[in-house]
């Protein structure tokens, strides 16, 4: 991964965390998921949920006959890799 990709990944993680940590329900949900299932399993669930949302948005664009918009959403927002979501889940790990 080059410097630009590393910076983009770090920004994605920070943006994801900013939104997640500022939504009380989401914060509690993610903390509980990490606690009950562990960081690895929780990261897989977070990634799956995120990619499902992106695919739903892309599908809506396709229904509007906007193939370009659909492809752009998928290209920009899917493919961050499991490492990104592991780092996100790790942030919700509560050490007792």
């Amino acid at each position: 991964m080059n410097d630009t990709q590393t910076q983009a990944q770090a920004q994605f993680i920070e943006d994801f965390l900013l939104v997640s940590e500022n939504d009380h329900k989401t914060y509690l949900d993610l903390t509980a998921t990490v606690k009950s299932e562990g960081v690895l399993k929780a990261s897989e669930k977070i990634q799956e949920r995120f990619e499902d949302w992106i695919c739903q948005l892309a599908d809506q664009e396709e229904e509007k006959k906007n193939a370009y918009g659909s492809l752009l959403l998928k290209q920009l927002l899917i493919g961050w890799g499991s490492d990104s979501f592991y780092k996100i889940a790790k942030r919700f790990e509560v050490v007792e």
Side-chain angles (χ1 to χ4, degrees):
M1 189 178 295
N2 66 37
D3 287 344
T4 302
Q5 291 169 322
T6 302
Q7 290 172 351
Q9 181 191 45
Q11 187 63 54
F12 169 76
I13 292 167
E14 286 305 312
D15 290 345
F16 194 102
L17 288 169
L18 177 68
V19 173
S20 299
E21 291 173 340
N22 283 295
D23 181 83
H24 188 69
K25 183 181 179 310
T26 300
Y27 177 83
L28 293 176
D29 178 52
L30 291 173
T31 303
T33 301
V34 170
K35 185 176 182 178
S36 67
E37 300 187 30
V39 174
L40 184 59
K41 186 67 174 170
S43 70
E44 291 169 356
K45 285 187 168 189
I46 295 167
Q47 182 175 4
E48 183 178 299
R49 188 181 317 159
F50 178 77
E51 290 179 354
D52 284 347
W53 290 332
I54 299 311
C55 287
Q56 288 173 13
L57 289 171
D59 289 347
Q60 290 174 7
E61 288 304 308
E62 281 184 31
E63 289 172 9
K64 295 177 189 176
K65 306 293 186 223
N66 185 1
Y68 172 76
S70 175
L71 290 172
L72 187 59
L73 282 169
K74 288 179 182 177
Q75 181 68 28
L76 291 174
L77 298 172
I78 293 182
W80 286 105
S82 59
D83 183 53
S84 297
F85 293 95
Y86 183 84
K87 290 176 182 176
I88 290 167
K90 189 79 173 149
R91 184 82 158 256
F92 291 96
E93 184 176 40
V94 177
V95 178
E96 296 178 26

